[in-house]
Amino acid sequence: MFASVVLDIPTRSISTAFDYVVPANLESSCKVGTTVLVTFSGRAAVGYVIALVQHAPAGVPAGKIKPIERVLTDSAFDEKSVELAWWMCEEYAAPLSDCLRLFIAPGQSMRVHRENASSPWELICEATGAVDDRWIELSSTAQEFIPRKNAARQRAVLAALTSGSLRMSELNATIVGASSAVRTLEAKGVVRIFTKRRVRGYANTTLSSAQAAQPEQLTRGQQDALAAINAACKSGRGDVVLVDGVTGSGKTEVYLAAIQKVREQGKGALVLVPEISLTAQTVGRFRSRFGDDVAVLHSRLSAGERFDQWDMVRQGQAHVVVGARSALFAPLRNVGLIIIDEEHESSYKQDSSPRYHAREVAARLAQLCECALVLGSATPSLESLARTQHGTHAGVSWVRSSMNERPGTAVLPRVQIVDMTQQFGAGNRSIFSEPLVSALHDAVSHGEKAVLMLNRRGFANFLMCRECGCVPTCPHCSTSLTYHERTHELMCHSCGRTWPVRAFPDPSTKCPSCGSRYLAQFGVGTQRVEDELAMLLGPDVDIIRMDADTTKGKGAHQRLLEQFDASPCAVLIGTQMIAKGLDFPDVTLVGVINADTTLKLPDFRAAERTYNLLEQVAGRAGRGSKPGRVIVQTYWASHPAIQAVLAHDRRLFLEPELLDRKEANYPPYTRLSNVVVWGKNERAVKQTVANFAAVLREEVHDMDNWHVLGPAPCVKAKVKDRFRWHILVKSPVTSNPGSVLSTCAAQIGPKLGINMALDIDAYDLL
Ligand code: ADP
Ligand code: ZN
Ligand code: ZN
């Protein structure tokens, strides 16, 4: 037998598989999906088996083929996964080994390493395994056993076991000397010791909304969506259904019902949720319907927890995988349905190699598995909307199923826009506008809850000189520095450097550019909102702050939400992280402190992102029986994204936005890829990026509708002392930029000290 092996050697050019002989003693263990040790150009190397064949590969004398040295792991993936990895490798111009690595067991790291050029190569294996617990139970003859009078410990152990079997560690924790008593009892045949796999990674929650009681009846919209999903499942071509449902319309219920159907046919389901909304609440809803058939995979789990969840899927013990984008690569056999919730989220794009988009990979996987792909969102991406309008994409059908209403008596909240320039003109210098203050008082006096969102992405919380307009930026990264009020520091969020600073009205304040003393805070932080809110509302209202600082610890996120849930009267203040997925029926007020900071980002998706964010956060209000209201504070009230939220009418935003996109030749009318080159030596970076642009222009000069822009310095022109330049590439929707760009990269070849990223369908353009 012969194995086709992809080597895990970090070189962009090695994207081919090599053939090895499988020695007779390894034939039973060497399967597709195993990690193996081989010899490659005179040294040891680690690789992945992607195929097995009976006949010697053509063109090479059988005696010349080297053997597989060792099989290092069990199989982690199958032939279908290999096919998907090949597709990703070509589509995203990424090394095949990077694509295969997505499939291997969590916690596994096998590599060959040597200290220096003269020391030997050594295999370094890191892997996470399963943990077995020792359990104790009474044997069938325990009844007849009477311990001796002075055997107090034995008696205590037996008493503890009468209500059922217990873990040895629990017995040890409660009874001194339990181990020796258990040993004696086991020798007498009174108790039995057995081992049981411990599954790490379960977190229970007290959140009331984590329960998903089955509704008595599905809404009309839900029934229609389910019918569309069933039709797509039946076709078995990988058809796509976009569930375009307003916030609170019951999309989760549609997913649950669709999964149930698939499970009845003995198949499994993959459910992708943005990392940030993969909370206990979301997981709880799936667990309350499917119990232990659910495995959860995300990056906040420890390696051990992730391994256990992953292994449950591999062993066929769990058939519903709920996870972040990487859950696409879980070892689920017989996939019957793939669901991507909040499909518009930019976190579905991976920002390191392979730079894939989960939506595209899922569409491909659905084709390979002959199942359906369901995309859900209240604010679908313009790309998905365009495909459903067209009806087909890449040979499969794309349909849109809309759900415009919330179930029962719940209605969409009333939205009010407050123009902050008018507030300022009228002498209100507070963070909170007049209408927001009165709405907050109103809500708390009725014992209701409120959510306040502070838009932190963009140019929030920096210092600006009111005289010359200068904003201090990091000399190493050219990004605006963030002001930290409590520590009197300016911080760069690209490289982490800090500088002490005094802001207005401190007498020692000095603008770094003109020396003025009016260097003052612009934008506010969550801490300041918290402080001012506490003054406004007094001590009887709980204020819970959720931001990067308060959610650092493990489980902190969940604890804060549970606190908010349990409080009789509370305000939750948070950054973007509170905009999504929260379902608290007693929230009646949502306030947005600063709606427009994201509108100012130099990115063609800025308006789309702002609209999505506002529509999502507005959707947190009025999900229960009481109607909700939303107050949006802004300095740019006339912007279509803001007006569309006001009217709950997406078209107000979509129509002008699509015109702009078409005119400027941006997605969804084109594919936009970004080639980024960075390094410490600015001249070398500029030279390389210029070469790349020249090669690329030569490559595409006779192709229709290809446009090469740049090279130009990136918006973040310098990060961690590395100069960054980029080239933007626009190509037709049906084109394959991955293959064109990798051809160019191969012509340039690797350059010492220069890094290059080929970002196909780029989302991060800064
Ligand atoms: P979305 O994901 O679209 O924002 P959810 O799935 O969170 O909406 O549903 C919003 C609320 O409506 C939830 O509390 C859910 O239990 C409830 N719900 C969903 N479907 C129904 C139904 N058919 N009848 C009654 N309540 C429902
Ligand atoms: Zn100044
Ligand atoms: Zn910096």
Side-chain angles (χ1 to χ4, degrees), residues 75-91:
S75 168
F77 53 82
D78 60 11
E79 286 83 358
K80 218 172 268 170
S81 314
V82 173
E83 216 173 313
L84 188 64
W86 269 121
W87 178 83
M88 292 176 74
C89 160
E90 281 159 17
E91 180 73 11

Side-chain angles (χ1 to χ4, degrees), residues 1-15:
M1 206 160 60
F2 299 87
S4 188
V5 175
V6 174
L7 301 174
D8 195 350
I9 295 175
T11 316
R12 148 155 255 118
S13 55
I14 305 183
S15 257

Side-chain angles (χ1 to χ4, degrees), residues 209 211-220 222 243 245-256 285 289 341-342 377-378 403 406-408 410 581-583 585 616 619-620 623-624:
S209 51
Q211 297 296 319
Q214 194 142 9
E216 278 172 22
Q217 212 191 342
L218 294 180
T219 65
R220 194 57 216 268
Q222 287 172 324
V243 179
V246 298
T247 53
S249 57
K251 292 184 287 294
T252 311
E253 190 54 48
V254 171
Y255 307 152
L256 292 169
R285 285 180 156 188
R289 200 64 66 81
D341 189 29
E342 311 286 4
S377 179
M403 307 202 300
R406 291 181 169 183
L582 303 188
D583 185 18
Q616 294 285 346
R620 302 311 112 204
R623 295 169 77 87

Side-chain angles (χ1 to χ4, degrees), residues 461-463 472-473 480-484 487-493 496-502 512 519:
N461 208 34
F462 51 79
L463 292 182
T473 54
S480 307
L481 296 172
T482 314
Y483 178 53
H484 289 247
T487 49
H488 299 288
E489 271 175 340
L490 282 172
M491 183 184 216
C492 170
H493 284 275
R497 287 185 174 84
T498 58
W499 290 263
V501 74
R502 292 285 156 187
L519 185 69

Side-chain angles (χ1 to χ4, degrees), residues 118 164 170 186 235 272 284 310 344 499 545 627 670 693 749 756 763:
S118 56
E170 278 172 67
E186 194 204 13
S235 93
L272 269 55
W310 183 88
H344 63 278
W499 290 263
R545 172 162 66 93
T670 187
M756 188 185 293
Y763 269 68

Side-chain angles (χ1 to χ4, degrees), residues 199-204 210-212 256 280-297 301 309 312 318 320 322:
V199 177
R200 295 159 286 185
Y202 279 95
N204 286 320
Q211 297 296 319
L256 292 169
Q281 192 169 14
T282 320
V283 172
R285 285 180 156 188
F286 285 88
R287 284 240 164 88
S288 75
R289 200 64 66 81
F290 301 110
D292 290 345
D293 202 21
V294 177
V296 179
L297 288 168
L301 298 174
Q309 298 290 311
M312 265 172 35
V320 179
V322 181

